[in-house]
Amino acid sequence: MSEQPSTEASSSSPGPADQEPEARLLTEAVTRLRRALRSSIRTDYPWETLPMAQVELLQVLGEHSPARISDLAARRRLAPSTVSGLIGQMITAGLVARDVDAADRRASVVTLTEAGREKLAAWTTAHERRIDTALAALDDGARAAITSALPALFQLAEHLGESAEGTAEQ
């Protein structure tokens, strides 16, 4: 049986968790979902060793390629040096390639290789399969609730992204 957090506020001394139970519960739900997905994927994709940070860069490159290191860093909210190190590992693994930027020959851009596209597609398919299986195990009401919550969750992600960008600019 799965463990579900109580939606009642604690009767101990008031604090941020008591004042914002929705935020606390959503944080816990997102954390549990990420952890469950990471561990369950090993069932369908046991050979996968790609770090999540590299997967996220592959996803960005899948949508915005070619891209400069600074653009990738900004999109993932990482330090350019961190992205550069990850890209170096990914070049070694054959997942991405570094090329000269056609618009500014002094700069370089990163593109997905065919191996990178295949790795990203396999990773995405495996995750979608795991989520489909989990969704199928839910009753109709729970599936409908999740489906109806998706637009709001995307809006929440946008607002969180905007607030993070505002903080970074200050």
Side-chain angles (χ1 to χ4, degrees):
M1 178 157 221
S2 66
E3 180 183 324
Q4 293 183 346
S6 169
T7 56
E8 296 176 14
S10 168
S11 61
S12 62
S13 63
D18 295 324
Q19 296 167 4
E20 300 292 339
E22 294 88 5
R24 179 175 40 87
L25 291 172
L26 184 56
T27 299
E28 186 171 341
V30 168
T31 300
R32 285 183 183 194
L33 283 167
R34 286 181 58 107
R35 186 179 310 123
L37 189 55
R38 268 195 322 263
S39 64
S40 73
I41 197 63
R42 303 292 185 230
T43 303
D44 284 349
Y45 208 36
W47 58 90
E48 179 52 56
T49 58
L50 199 60
M52 194 61 204
Q54 290 184 13
V55 170
E56 290 175 354
L57 289 174
L58 288 176
Q59 289 171 326
V60 171
L61 286 168
E63 295 177 16
H64 308 280
S65 185
R68 291 183 179 192
I69 297 284
S70 58
D71 294 335
L72 293 170
R75 287 183 185 279
R76 296 307 320 144
R77 292 182 180 81
L78 295 170
S81 60
T82 300
V83 172
S84 184
L86 290 166
I87 292 297
Q89 295 167 5
M90 295 166 70
I91 289 170
T92 300
L95 302 174
V96 299
R98 191 182 316 249
D99 297 308
V100 174
D101 187 345
D104 180 356
R105 302 211 40 88
R106 298 169 296 169
S108 64
V109 292
V110 179
T111 57
L112 275 179
T113 62
E114 189 57 35
R117 276 186 234 300
E118 290 172 6
K119 183 79 139 177
L120 179 59
W123 186 93
T124 301
T125 299
H127 277 74
E128 288 172 355
R129 189 174 340 162
R130 292 300 294 163
I131 291 172
D132 281 342
T133 300
L135 285 170
L138 300 176
D139 63 46
D140 291 344
R143 277 194 308 277
I146 290 169
T147 300
S148 67
L150 290 173
L153 290 170
F154 280 111
Q155 286 179 343
L156 179 60
E158 288 294 318
H159 286 292
L160 288 169
E162 291 168 5
S163 66
E165 289 169 5
T167 303
E169 291 172 1
Q170 293 176 359

